[in-house]
Amino acid sequence: MAKTLNLEVVTPEKQVFSDEVQSIIVPAAEGYLGVLPNHAPLISGLKPGVVKYRQEGKTQLLAISGGFMEVSSNKVTILADTAERPEHIDIERARAARERAEKRLKERPPGLDVARAEFALQRAMARLRTAGLNG
Ligand code: ATP
């Protein structure tokens, strides 16, 4: 029985991560989902949120803004619209995005695309949590 999984995280722009990990937790469409070695094959949609993986006994985080995950033969592929490691997150930009989205959702101007504002808020909160701040 395998003790690790190969995790690969790719966006349309680049490969963000590719390595062996011990476990993964992803923001699946139905809620957070854990994947351990020898997991059954699976395809799932992902929401904006935080991907957590364990490597050499440490938990590491990545912010993603939604996409898909495929699990097959101890390989987990995450195809994400965007994905950032903590050190690449611009905290001020994420804070500004969160404030913009919160203001729109509070003021509800006519014609507001509520779902779009909610997704923008979730992306910003995922980035802040990944950077170690309160989303
Ligand atoms: P903003 O309103 O600040 O542009 P957004 O959520 O609309 O935020 P996205 O469309 O999800 O941004 O991402 C566009 C590009 O910018 C992607 O390459 C993404 O990785 C990057 N990006 C967005 N926000 C940040 C951030 N706070 N720090 C680092 N990179 C970011």
Side-chain angles (χ1 to χ4, degrees):
M1 296 285 269
K3 291 210 174 80
T4 60
L5 296 143
N6 183 262
L7 171 63
E8 190 166 337
V9 180
V10 288
T11 71
E13 283 176 6
K14 59 179 187 233
Q15 186 183 64
V16 176
F17 184 88
S18 177
D19 208 351
E20 295 293 310
V21 303
Q22 290 151 349
S23 61
I24 309 166
I25 299 176
V26 296
E30 316 75 36
Y32 275 85
L33 173 74
V35 183
L36 291 168
N38 311 300
H39 197 286
L42 171 77
I43 290 183
S44 174
L46 301 177
K47 299 189 289 196
V50 182
V51 171
K52 296 185 184 175
Y53 58 91
R54 278 190 74 80
Q55 205 176 28
E56 288 155 17
K58 283 192 195 154
T59 301
Q60 311 282 1
L61 311 182
L62 287 169
I64 64 159
S65 62
F68 287 91
M69 172 183 73
E70 182 182 23
V71 183
S72 173
S73 309
N74 278 319
K75 180 162 178 63
V76 178
T77 308
I78 293 179
L79 304 170
D81 298 326
T82 66
E84 297 102 31
R85 293 166 175 265
E87 63 270 28
H88 294 142
I89 290 174
D90 179 336
I91 291 171
E92 282 316 310
R93 178 174 168 183
R95 278 204 179 113
R98 181 182 62 184
E99 277 164 26
R100 263 195 322 273
E102 281 175 344
K103 188 163 179 277
R104 287 193 180 114
L105 289 166
K106 197 169 153 223
E107 294 175 356
R108 303 254 165 174
L112 177 71
D113 184 339
V114 174
R116 184 174 162 189
E118 278 170 354
F119 271 116
L121 179 59
Q122 286 171 22
R123 291 196 297 276
M125 292 197 314
R127 288 177 175 127
L128 291 169
R129 290 207 309 274
T130 298
L133 302 168
N134 287 332

